[in-house]
Amino acid sequence: MSTLQRTRCRARAHPLAVDATLAAGVLVCMLAGSFVDPHGENGATWLTRTPNALSLTLMVLGAAALVLRRRAPRTVLAATSAFSLVELVVGDPRAPVTMSAVVALFTVASATDRHTAWRVGLLTMTVLTGAAMLAGPLSWYAQENLGIFAWTGMAAAAGDAVRSRRAFVDAIRERAERAERTREEEARRRVAEERLRIARDLHDVVAHHIALVNVQAGVAAHVMDKRPDQAKEALAHVREASRSALNELRATVGLLRQTGDPEAPTEPAPGLGRLDELADTFRNAGLPVEVVRDHGTTLPAAVDLAAYRVIQEALTNVQKHAGPEAKAEVSVVRVGPDVEVTVLDNGPGQSAEHEPEEGGGHGLLGMRERVTALGGRCTAGPRYGGGFRVHATLPVKTRMPAMEGSV
C-alpha cells in the first residue's frame, strides 16, 4: 500500500481530526489575509493593517464551526454565513471571514444532491454578495465584493463536481460487485441445472431397461430347469435390454462433450496407463509435452480415470489458449495417501482461466466437479512469471461423498 493510500485510510478512520486540521488551516489563512492591505500604493502590502477584536472573534468562531462540517453541514453553513455577514457589514478594515463560509458551502454541495447544492449555493452567493455590495463600507463594485461572488460560486461548483465524481465511482463499484455476484450465482445455477438434467436423463435412460432386465432375469431363473428354451429367450432379452441401456447412456454422456474435445474410447475406460499415448497425440499436434510419473502406484479405477481426464482437459486448454510457442509439463506423483497431478505450461497466450464454460461440466468447472466428487481438490490459476498451472489432489482411497446415497 502506498503512502497516499495509507493517508486516505487514516483520514477515513478519523474524520473529526481531518476536519479539525482543515479548520486550523482555514483559521491561519484568514488571520494571514487579515494583515494584508489589497489597496496599498504598490499593490497588496503585508502588515499594514491589523484586524480588530470583533474580526478576530468572528474568524475564530467561523473556523471552529468547520470542525462540525460533516455532522451538520447546513447548520455550519448558516453559522459561518452569519459570521461573514457581520464582518461584511461592520468590518473596517474587512477580514476574510467569508473563507469559512466558502468551505462550508463546498461541504454542503458535496454532500447533497445537485438541485439542493445549486439552490443553497445561489442563496449563499446572493446573500453574501448583496450584503457586501449594499451594506458594506466599500463601494458596490469593489474587487473584494466581486471576489465574494466568484469564490462562493466556485465553491458550489466544486462541491457538486466532487459529489458527481463520488457518485460515479460508487456506481461503478456497485455495478462491479453486482456483476461479480451475478456471475457467481449464474455459475452455481448452471451447475445445479446441469446436475439435475444429467440425473433426469440417466434416470429416464436406465429405469426402463433395468426394470426389464430384472423381470427377464427373474423369468430365466424361474424356468431355467424346466424350460431352458424359454430361459434362453429371456436371457436374450436381458442382453438386448442391457445393450440398449449402454447405447443410450453413451448417447446421453456424449451430449456433454464439446466440439473439438479429444476423442477417447469408452471401452475400456482410459487411465494413466495410456498417459504416454495421450501425450503423443498432443505432441503430434505440435504441443511439446514432458511427462514425469510414478509408475509404482496402482490407483482405483475412478481415481485413475479422473486423473487421466484432468490431464486431458488441462492439455487441451494449453493447446487452445496458451499460444503456439507453449510447452507443457505433466507430473503424477504419490504423496502420502494421495496422488497429485500437476500440469504446467509457459504459454504467453490467453490463459485457460478465461475459457468460456458454456454448457456446464466442461473446462475448469468440469475438472473441479470430477475431482470434488472423489473427495479431492483441484486448483487452477496463472503461474508467477507467466503460464498456467493446474493441480489436482486425489485420494487413493476414494470416499466419493457426492455419490453417497445416490442409489
Side-chain angles (χ1 to χ4, degrees):
M1 183 181 294
S2 65
T3 303
L4 180 60
Q5 290 175 331
R6 286 195 296 268
T7 303
R8 287 179 176 177
C9 292
R10 291 172 183 172
R12 294 191 186 99
H14 305 283
L16 188 61
V18 174
D19 291 339
T21 303
L22 175 63
V26 171
L27 178 59
V28 171
C29 292
M30 289 190 295
L31 290 173
S34 65
F35 286 93
V36 177
D37 182 8
H39 302 289
E41 296 180 358
N42 299 321
T45 55
W46 177 256
L47 296 178
T48 58
R49 67 175 184 174
T50 303
N52 55 36
L54 177 60
S55 297
L56 289 174
T57 303
L58 293 175
M59 285 187 286
V60 172
L61 291 176
L66 293 179
V67 177
L68 303 175
R69 68 187 187 97
R70 295 179 195 260
R71 298 184 179 181
R74 299 191 186 188
T75 303
V76 171
L77 176 59
T80 54
S81 297
F83 301 149
S84 300
L85 283 175
V86 174
E87 178 63 22
L88 291 174
V89 173
V90 303
D92 189 17
R94 183 184 295 171
V97 181
T98 312
M99 185 180 297
S100 61
V102 169
V103 175
L105 177 58
F106 169 84
T107 303
V108 171
S110 64
T112 57
D113 58 275
R114 173 165 295 176
H115 177 72
T116 302
W118 284 108
R119 185 178 59 188
V120 173
L122 183 60
L123 177 62
T124 305
M125 185 190 318
T126 303
V127 171
L128 294 182
T129 306
M133 289 183 174
L134 300 177
L138 302 177
S139 59
W140 69 270
Y141 54 85
Q143 183 178 358
E144 287 87 341
N145 296 338
L146 298 178
I148 295 172
F149 178 84
W151 280 106
T152 51
M154 287 189 294
D160 182 67
V162 170
R163 180 202 55 79
S164 298
R165 183 183 181 279
R166 187 187 301 123
F168 177 72
V169 172
D170 291 342
I172 292 178
R173 183 182 296 109
E174 194 275 335
R175 190 181 300 117
E177 293 175 353
R178 185 171 62 251
E180 183 66 22
R181 291 193 301 269
T182 302
R183 194 158 45 241
E184 294 175 356
E185 292 171 358
E186 178 66 14
R188 288 193 294 267
R189 184 187 63 81
R190 288 171 55 183
V191 169
E193 289 181 353
E194 185 65 20
R195 288 175 174 172
L196 181 59
R197 187 185 70 82
I198 293 175
R200 287 173 176 171
D201 288 346
L202 292 180
H203 178 272
D204 294 341
V205 166
V206 173
H208 171 72
H209 294 290
I210 292 300
L212 182 60
V213 166
N214 182 61
V215 171
Q216 295 295 339
V219 171
H222 182 70
V223 301
M224 178 67 71
D225 296 332
K226 298 181 179 180
R227 287 174 286 180
D229 292 339
Q230 188 174 353
K232 184 177 180 180
E233 182 179 355
L235 291 176
H237 288 303
V238 169
R239 181 181 180 185
E240 183 63 27
S242 61
R243 182 186 295 112
S244 298
L246 287 175
N247 290 336
E248 294 187 24
L249 280 173
R250 186 179 297 113
T252 301
V253 176
L255 294 175
L256 303 178
R257 190 178 300 278
Q258 284 182 327
T259 303
D261 282 348
E263 293 293 336
T266 57
E267 295 289 338
L272 294 180
R274 302 181 57 183
L275 182 57
D276 292 334
E277 178 182 342
L278 176 66
D280 288 337
T281 61
F282 285 96
R283 293 188 186 108
N284 295 334
L287 175 65
V289 180
E290 296 183 5
V291 178
V292 178
R293 58 169 300 187
D294 184 359
H295 292 276
T297 301
T298 301
L299 302 177
V303 176
D304 200 27
L305 175 60
Y308 179 89
R309 291 303 189 195
V310 168
I311 296 172
Q312 182 184 48
E313 183 63 39
L315 291 177
T316 301
N317 288 337
V318 174
Q319 188 178 38
K320 287 181 179 180
H321 306 287
E325 303 298 328
K327 297 180 181 180
E329 300 177 7
V330 178
S331 67
V332 182
V333 295
R334 176 73 178 268
V335 181
D338 303 325
V339 59
E340 294 190 0
V341 178
T342 306
V343 180
L344 308 175
D345 73 78
N346 62 344
Q350 181 184 8
S351 72
E353 184 183 18
H354 302 290
E355 176 193 3
E357 296 179 351
E358 298 179 358
H362 296 294
L364 301 182
L365 180 60
M367 279 193 251
R368 293 190 181 101
E369 288 293 317
R370 186 185 294 274
V371 173
T372 303
L374 297 175
R377 301 181 304 277
C378 181
T379 60
R383 298 172 60 193
Y384 178 77
F388 205 75
R389 176 179 183 267
V390 175
H391 180 75
T393 302
L394 293 162
V396 175
K397 294 182 179 180
T398 59
R399 297 182 297 274
M400 300 180 68
M403 301 297 292
E404 292 178 2
S406 60
V407 178

